Amino acid sequence: MSFVVARMQKMKSGNLVGVGNHNQRNTDNHSNKDIDVERSYLNYDLVNRTDNYKTDIQQFINDNKSSSRAVRKDAVLINEWIITSDNRFFKDKDDKEIKDFFEQSKDYFAEKFGDENIRYAQVHLDETTPHMHLGIVPFNAEKRLSAKTLFNRQALQAVQDELPKYLNERGFELERGEKGSERKNLTVPEYKKAKDELKEMTTTLEQRKSEVLALSNDKTPTINKESLDLNANFPGFYNSNHTADRFSASRISFMHDFPETRGSQLWFGYFYQ
């Protein structure tokens, strides 16, 4: 069964222009090489209350906050969640089913944190895996910005427990990441780097397997013993300490993307906070 992936990032005023440019695809020159600009027309909004991330979100906060005090310059203005699963989950789903998955996920956050506080929910289909960027202004019940209390550790854990159940009740077969696991968190760049390394490792294993099969057929290719040492070829891969700062909760396994590694120790999980 596939995992729900729910990653949260804290966005301050200085982050909003860049996040908006990325989410809204305001440029064709992206640092993220996974973006296929020829497929960007497939992206769509489930919530679009922000033409300009910085000015519109700040305006919403100023219009609705209960305090007359100015918002601190270092305040968290948006808690952005990225919602997705693995490619196996999306593989056999049509466009309507994929959209329904993201709509149901959005509805969960609307019910829990207030529909009006969701300022955008954008689905990206132009990258490797479909995913949604969902931005929530962290207003508490008293209309005060309070990211620390609204999204504290207990709240983050509750999302990880509740979201899979919420989706399962609506017909999606998904599970929570392993609770209490000691596996380390990965940032997005670290995950992509590790995934590339695992692809390279898989290729190496296939090459070695071919050499061993050739030997078993009385052929005599030369096998470099050192090349069989995967830890030497990929230093630190097994014992690397992939960590992410301030990320919590859901996991996705490389075994979904690389089923040929099942039963081996080539397993990675990651979860985001």
Side-chain angles (χ1 to χ4, degrees):
M1 187 181 294
S2 296
F3 296 106
V4 177
V5 177
R7 168 171 86 87
M8 191 197 76
Q9 300 180 97
K10 300 174 183 178
M11 302 296 179
K12 300 181 180 180
S13 176
N15 306 126
L16 294 179
V17 172
V19 171
N21 286 337
H22 170 78
N23 289 356
Q24 296 174 322
R25 300 297 194 251
N26 290 335
T27 177
D28 288 338
N29 298 315
H30 302 285
S31 59
N32 183 354
K33 300 307 179 184
D34 287 338
I35 296 173
D36 180 356
V37 295
E38 293 184 358
R39 298 175 60 234
S40 293
Y41 73 93
L42 297 171
N43 299 342
Y44 54 86
D45 296 306
L46 296 180
V47 177
N48 184 11
R49 295 167 175 153
T50 53
D51 291 326
N52 182 296
Y53 270 39
K54 186 170 184 178
T55 58
D56 291 352
I57 288 170
Q58 288 179 328
Q59 188 64 51
F60 172 78
I61 292 170
N62 288 331
D63 289 346
N64 291 276
K65 64 185 177 71
S66 59
S67 173
S68 59
R69 292 182 178 181
V71 175
R72 296 192 328 269
K73 291 182 178 180
D74 64 344
V76 174
L77 305 185
I78 283 285
N79 291 87
E80 182 181 278
W81 288 83
I82 298 178
I83 309 301
T84 186
S85 185
D86 54 56
N87 285 324
R88 178 172 294 187
F89 173 76
F90 292 108
K91 182 179 179 181
D92 297 321
K93 290 181 171 51
D94 60 27
D95 293 344
K96 185 178 181 299
E97 291 172 316
I98 292 174
K99 186 174 183 178
D100 187 42
F101 165 73
F102 289 120
E103 284 183 330
Q104 297 292 349
S105 299
K106 183 264 296 178
D107 288 346
Y108 165 79
F109 286 94
E111 292 174 16
K112 191 172 182 68
F113 300 107
D115 180 74
E116 280 300 309
N117 293 330
I118 297 177
R119 304 315 296 168
Y120 60 85
Q122 291 163 327
V123 176
H124 288 166
L125 301 178
D126 59 353
E127 297 184 52
T128 305
T129 306
H131 60 276
M132 176 172 64
H133 295 261
L134 183 144
I136 303 173
V137 171
F139 272 144
N140 62 17
E142 291 76 36
K143 288 294 181 180
R144 295 177 181 272
L145 284 178
S146 186
K148 282 187 178 180
T149 56
L150 195 67
F151 293 108
N152 59 25
R153 183 175 181 82
Q154 290 73 28
L156 295 175
Q157 289 178 342
V159 169
Q160 305 308 320
D161 290 336
E162 295 167 5
L163 181 57
K165 294 179 182 177
Y166 187 94
L167 293 170
N168 285 337
E169 290 169 358
R170 286 152 181 82
F172 297 99
E173 295 184 1
L174 289 161
E175 63 179 317
R176 188 203 196 284
E178 183 182 347
K179 199 168 184 178
S181 171
E182 294 181 358
R183 292 188 177 96
K184 302 298 183 181
N185 302 346
L186 295 180
T187 64
V188 172
E190 287 172 337
Y191 168 69
K192 290 179 178 179
K193 180 181 178 183
K195 191 170 182 177
D196 288 342
E197 288 177 345
L198 187 56
K199 284 183 179 179
E200 187 178 350
M201 182 181 290
T202 302
T203 301
T204 301
L205 286 172
E206 289 299 320
Q207 291 172 346
R208 303 303 166 242
K209 184 165 66 174
S210 297
E211 291 177 356
V212 171
L213 288 174
L215 281 175
S216 68
N217 291 327
D218 294 325
K219 296 180 181 179
T220 58
T222 301
I223 298 180
N224 184 341
K225 183 178 180 181
E226 292 181 358
S227 71
L228 292 171
D229 186 352
L230 292 175
N231 200 43
N233 287 332
F234 305 96
F237 188 79
Y238 288 121
N239 299 314
S240 57
N241 213 16
H242 296 298
T243 62
D245 188 21
R246 299 187 185 90
F247 286 127
S248 97
S250 230
R251 284 186 174 60
I252 184 171
S253 170
F254 274 125
M255 290 176 69
H256 288 296
D257 292 334
F258 301 100
E260 64 270 20
T261 64
R262 289 182 181 277
S264 72
Q265 294 183 1
L266 308 181
W267 192 94
F268 266 73
Y270 81 93
F271 78 69
Y272 291 124
Q273 192 160 237

